[in-house]
Amino acid sequence: MRILIVPDSFKGSLTAVAASETMAGAVLAEMPDAEVFRIPLADGGEGTVDALVAARGGRTVPIEVTGPLGERVQTYYGVIGETTAVVEAANLCGLTMVPPERRNPLHTTSRALGEAILAALDQSSSRIIVGLGGSAVNDGGIGMLSALGAVFLDGAGHKLSGYGRDLPELDRIDLSGLDSRLKRCEITVACDVRNPLVGEEGATFVYGPQKGASAEMCRTLDAAMAAYAAKLEACFADMGMGAAAGGAPLRDAPGAGAAGGLGFALLSLGAKLVPGAQLIEEQTGLRAAARAADWVLTGEGRSDGQTLYGKLPLHVARLAREEGTRAVLISGSLGPGSERLLSEFAGCFSIVEQPSSLQDCMEQAESLLYRCTRSVARLIAQAAGR
């Protein structure tokens, strides 16, 4: 029997890679002769590098970058194939890298993402995949662009360092020093956010508060972001980059507001934004693997009615059904609306065995996931007459 294991991460407790290893061990404990295949999943957020490296047999490259608060941090990016690099905002300028009491989008920068892209270019990467989920920044990408050679100046001609607080001070942009290799590099962005850059549905008003922005700060940053966007688009237009002549402004494009405006900055560089699930499917051969499997086991930290709105397990279930394969959902917990998932999955299971605190469940996630998956595997084996 062929079992395909394709979990998302169990946020705060297990990475997708760790979850897939645990689930595989549980299946083999019940069906030692089964063929088990693992494809850890990610949607552009935390774990994107690890998931693609694991699925494609790639490698990670350690780097030191400027963290979201300006400190030097040790992190890594991935390399898959000969010339494709994978970077993610979550481990470069991620929200989890900033202590809750220090979260303030005026004082964070996306510079690390630019530094990681430079490191990949230095290693002759001709394609870069960028995961944008889970960032701590709201700087419109000026930190990233600064690292890539752009210069941002205030009214007195002083160079700005690339933090959110610099947006209201911005007067002039000089892109003449932008790394020329970017024009020859294909950039693909995994992004499930559809927000424009500015306005009530934009980056600042929708996501700024979770990054520490007050209501007044949101108003100031959104106005400054709009002025910055106009300047940056004009500069890129002069270089023959960005929106096509006569096209809609990139600031209004779906996804421009991703990661505090990094989506807009990357679009300006000529990047293509694609749904995270689509990118994972293309990069990992998920469809072919589902076609060859007898059962697909997927999961996530919490499943509820929101899972029906495009989360990765739903994508897996529908893809599996298209290929004539049954999918089972194993989640950390099942919340309100989860009964609606039964129309998509052959079965939905929670790993929680008894009333427990969230902290206890997260600490015991590995053993709970193992036991639940083993029970599911036993059921599958008995149904197959083994």
Side-chain angles (χ1 to χ4, degrees):
M1 184 173 293
R2 291 172 174 262
I3 307 293
L4 175 62
I5 296 175
V6 285
D8 197 353
S9 64
F10 285 59
K11 295 290 191 297
S13 54
L14 293 170
T15 66
V17 172
S20 70
E21 291 172 349
T22 298
M23 295 171 74
V27 169
L28 290 171
E30 288 296 325
M31 295 186 288
D33 58 341
E35 293 183 71
V36 177
F37 304 89
R38 298 187 299 113
I39 301 179
L41 299 181
D43 59 3
E46 182 181 2
T48 296
V49 170
D50 293 335
L52 287 179
V53 165
R56 292 284 303 277
R59 59 188 174 89
T60 58
V61 179
I63 53 173
E64 182 179 88
V65 296
T66 304
L69 295 174
E71 76 286 21
R72 300 300 290 174
V73 298
Q74 302 292 327
T75 185
Y76 58 91
Y77 69 94
V79 176
I80 56 178
E82 293 295 324
T83 58
T84 298
V86 186
V87 301
E88 67 178 58
N91 77 357
L92 294 165
C93 51
L95 191 61
T96 59
M97 299 171 69
V98 181
E101 67 276 8
R102 298 189 65 185
R103 289 175 185 172
N104 184 329
L106 295 178
H107 305 314
T108 53
T109 178
S110 61
R111 188 174 187 89
L113 183 55
E115 293 172 344
I117 290 173
L118 282 182
L121 291 174
D122 288 343
Q123 295 302 311
S124 301
S125 296
S126 58
R127 184 185 185 195
I128 299 176
I129 296 172
V130 182
L132 278 192
S135 82
V137 300
N138 198 88
D139 67 0
I142 63 172
M144 177 192 72
L145 292 172
S146 293
L148 293 172
V151 176
F152 299 89
L153 304 167
D154 65 15
H158 298 137
K159 186 176 179 180
L160 298 171
S161 51
Y163 288 74
R165 61 178 176 265
D166 294 325
L167 288 173
E169 306 300 320
L170 178 63
D171 180 69
R172 185 164 59 88
I173 302 173
D174 180 0
L175 299 181
S176 61
L178 200 64
D179 197 302
S180 62
R181 294 173 295 179
L182 291 166
K183 289 186 177 181
R184 303 187 297 274
C185 181
E186 176 187 343
I187 302 176
T188 303
V189 179
C191 171
D192 289 335
V193 167
R194 304 289 291 171
N195 304 75
L197 179 64
V198 296
E200 292 184 1
E201 298 300 319
T204 305
F205 281 113
V206 175
Y207 302 106
Q210 72 188 40
K211 300 174 183 181
S214 65
E216 181 180 356
M217 195 184 301
C218 284
R219 289 190 291 271
T220 299
L221 282 173
D222 188 67
M225 193 82 80
Y228 153 74
K231 290 183 175 69
L232 189 67
E233 289 206 63
C235 289
F236 272 114
D238 289 342
M239 299 173 62
M241 299 175 68
L250 288 178
R251 77 197 81 168
D252 298 331
L262 276 168
F264 167 74
L266 287 162
L267 282 169
S268 299
L269 291 173
K272 177 183 179 183
L273 272 58
V274 300
Q278 175 186 325
L279 184 141
I280 289 292
E281 179 183 332
E282 293 172 351
Q283 289 295 315
T284 62
L286 178 59
R287 181 173 293 276
R291 185 183 307 128
D294 296 300
W295 287 89
V296 174
L297 305 186
T298 186
E300 60 183 348
R302 176 180 171 84
S303 298
D304 53 29
Q306 293 300 312
T307 300
L308 290 167
Y309 294 97
K311 288 192 177 181
L312 280 175
L314 179 69
H315 182 81
V316 169
R318 290 180 174 174
L319 183 150
R321 186 168 61 242
E322 290 171 4
E323 299 302 330
T325 308
R326 293 160 292 187
V328 173
L329 177 67
I330 301 174
S331 295
S333 66
L334 296 174
S338 59
E339 67 279 358
R340 294 156 58 197
L341 297 173
L342 291 172
S343 64
E344 303 286 350
F345 295 90
C348 300
F349 301 86
S350 168
I351 67 175
V352 178
E353 300 171 333
Q354 61 187 11
S356 304
S357 69
L358 176 61
Q359 185 63 31
D360 286 344
C361 290
M362 294 180 70
E363 290 176 354
Q364 300 170 29
E366 183 176 356
S367 60
L368 290 171
L369 177 61
Y370 180 88
R371 291 200 292 270
C372 184
T373 305
R374 187 163 181 175
S375 294
V376 171
R378 185 180 302 117
L379 181 62
I380 290 174
Q382 290 183 2
R386 288 173 175 260

